[in-house]
Amino acid sequence: MINCVNHAYEAPRNDGLPRSAIKKWWMFCRQNLEENTLFIAVCDLGIGIPRSLPIKYPSEIIRRALDFLSPGRRTTDARMIQAAIEIARSRTDRQGRGLGLHNLKRIIDDAKGGRLYIFSNSGLVRYFERTHVRENFRRSILGTVVVWSIPLGATDEQN
């Protein structure tokens, strides 16, 4: 949520939609009682992770992260999202900052059966069972949506 406020609206969108004067974001939660799973989604209508990454980090850091993922391949929105997950530092260089997406990944690693979906502009990265799956689309969603699916522990009703 902090990333929505700090990074989503730091440049014009350049897609025909007006720039919001207010840094809006939305959060949705739902518990699936049948599967005992919690879904949390946070979204914004900002510039997206692929466009904000070069604003936040020097090009050599982004290039290193992209080369680590798969050297020599073209830059896509999905690859930029995954690079943002892997870059665990902040443009402020302050302790405890710049770890948002990396921490989301750690939550999924700790929650057996958890899943993370990060849609941003025309890219998607799905993360589950310590595996990244990237996908790119023809059209942009014009912002970012992050969804966690987290299994909940057994409840008294189930025991």
Side-chain angles (χ1 to χ4, degrees), residues 27-103:
M27 181 175 182
F28 309 92
C29 299
R30 179 179 185 270
Q31 181 180 3
N32 181 329
L33 295 174
E34 294 167 5
E35 296 178 13
N36 203 26
T37 304
L38 178 65
F39 292 91
I40 302 169
V42 176
C43 70
D44 64 65
L45 298 175
I47 62 174
I49 294 168
R51 284 201 51 223
S52 70
L53 201 60
I55 295 170
K56 291 166 39 176
Y57 299 105
S59 60
E60 63 271 4
I61 290 175
I62 297 169
R63 179 59 40 211
R64 227 177 301 144
L66 290 171
D67 285 345
F68 174 76
L69 301 176
S70 49
R73 309 213 40 218
R74 69 183 178 95
T75 301
T76 63
D77 283 357
R79 288 186 77 225
M80 290 293 279
I81 296 166
Q82 191 176 353
I85 295 168
E86 298 305 321
I87 297 172
R89 71 167 250 219
S90 172
R91 66 187 165 134
T92 65
D93 288 325
R94 291 192 354 226
Q95 185 72 15
R97 296 293 310 268
L99 301 173
L101 293 175
H102 186 74
N103 284 343

Side-chain angles (χ1 to χ4, degrees), residues 13 15 17 46-48 50-51 77 119-123 136-144:
R13 292 174 50 96
D15 59 10
L17 292 179
I47 62 174
R51 284 201 51 223
D77 283 357
F119 297 83
S120 192
N121 295 348
S122 62
N136 289 285
F137 306 101
R138 288 186 184 164
R139 294 197 170 146
S140 174
I141 65 166
L142 304 174
T144 299

